[in-house]
Amino acid sequence: ELGVTASDRAALVAFFGPRMKDAWAQATKRLGAAAQHFDDIAALNAWLSHELRAGDVVLVKASRGMRLERVVEALTGQQQAAGGH
């Protein structure tokens, strides 16, 4: 359900971690290559830096255990506070 919802509302969607493979599979049905799945944070950051343009809006959503603040830090160049804010 997440993959369908995300692909209905975004032009580009990245899923991270083993539990997101099914969501990614659903999103690719609508978005094709604009939906990607990653298990490696460096690969995710590299893809995003290539795909994103100035003015794009990015939503990063995950459990704290995924530590996706690393994505925010890579995109903004700013280290995130302990609470992810």
Side-chain angles (χ1 to χ4, degrees):
E1 197 173 307
L2 176 63
V4 172
T5 300
S7 63
D8 281 346
R9 291 170 172 78
L12 187 71
V13 181
F15 296 92
F16 184 76
R19 293 182 177 176
M20 290 290 104
K21 287 187 178 180
D22 289 338
W24 166 63
Q26 292 300 314
T28 59
K29 291 177 183 178
R30 288 196 163 106
L31 294 176
Q36 292 291 316
H37 177 269
F38 299 91
D39 287 316
D40 176 76
I41 200 74
L44 169 58
N45 284 336
W47 183 74
L48 287 172
S49 70
H50 180 264
E51 296 294 326
L52 294 175
R53 302 292 177 253
D56 285 350
V57 175
V58 178
L59 169 66
V60 178
K61 173 68 178 108
S63 67
R64 291 289 303 139
M66 297 303 287
R67 298 180 43 229
L68 287 187
E69 64 272 6
R70 298 173 290 172
V71 172
V72 176
E73 291 169 359
L75 292 173
T76 65
Q78 298 177 5
Q79 188 170 3
Q80 300 300 296
H85 303 289

